[in-house]
């Protein structure tokens, strides 16, 4: 069974190619590490990557779209927010406060 770093190193050229493609379309903040984490956490979450063949991993990387990647990160960002934390209570109160009639 391959280690994480071995698998990452094996597919790194495909990850870098996909990052270059995304940069060409204006998505400049994506990194190979970001795409790798997306694959592990979303695309292959139900698979044992130790059992995956190299062509399956590269195929999965190459079929990835920027919109899939962006949507995943938006959802993950919303999951991480605590809407009722002290810092957001003021914003929430302002949002829910009835406006004064003129």
């Amino acid at each position: 069974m391959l280690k994480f770093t071995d698998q990452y190193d094996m597919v790194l050229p495909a990850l870098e190619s996909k990052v270059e493609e995304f940069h060409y379309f204006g998505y400049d903040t994506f990194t190979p590490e970001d795409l790798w984490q997306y694959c592990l956490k979303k695309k292959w979450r139900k698979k044992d990557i130790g059992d995956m063949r190299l062509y399956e991993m590269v195929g999965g990387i190459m079929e990835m779209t920027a919109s899939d990647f962006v949507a995943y990160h938006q959802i993950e960002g919303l999951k991480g927010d605590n809407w009722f934390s002290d810092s957001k209570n003021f914003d929430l109160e302002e949002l829910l406060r009835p406006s004064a009639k003129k």
Side-chain angles (χ1 to χ4, degrees):
M1 186 162 132
L2 297 172
K3 296 179 184 175
F4 167 81
T5 55
D6 292 340
Q7 291 165 321
Y8 176 79
D9 290 342
M10 287 174 52
V11 298
L12 185 56
L15 292 168
E16 290 172 338
S17 175
K18 187 53 79 166
V19 166
E20 287 177 21
E21 176 187 324
F22 289 165
H23 286 188
Y24 176 78
F25 290 113
Y27 297 99
D28 295 335
T29 59
F30 298 173
T31 67
E33 295 82 13
D34 294 333
L35 299 184
W36 178 249
Q37 289 303 316
Y38 166 77
C39 288
L40 293 177
K41 292 178 182 176
K42 176 72 176 167
K43 199 164 192 58
W44 305 326
R45 72 180 179 275
K46 294 182 180 179
K47 295 183 179 184
D48 179 1
I49 63 166
D51 293 337
M52 289 179 70
R53 303 271 186 214
L54 179 59
Y55 73 88
E56 291 176 290
M57 297 174 88
V58 170
I61 292 166
M62 298 314 289
E63 71 184 12
M64 185 187 324
T65 65
S67 60
D68 292 340
F69 184 74
V70 168
Y72 168 76
H73 276 282
Q74 287 174 336
I75 290 169
E76 289 300 304
L78 291 174
K79 285 181 184 177
D81 280 344
N82 181 356
W83 292 94
F84 300 104
S85 67
D86 289 338
S87 64
K88 294 196 181 198
N89 263 350
F90 178 76
D91 293 336
L92 189 59
E93 288 173 11
E94 287 294 313
L95 179 65
L96 297 176
R97 179 177 294 141
S99 60
K101 293 187 177 183
K102 294 182 181 182

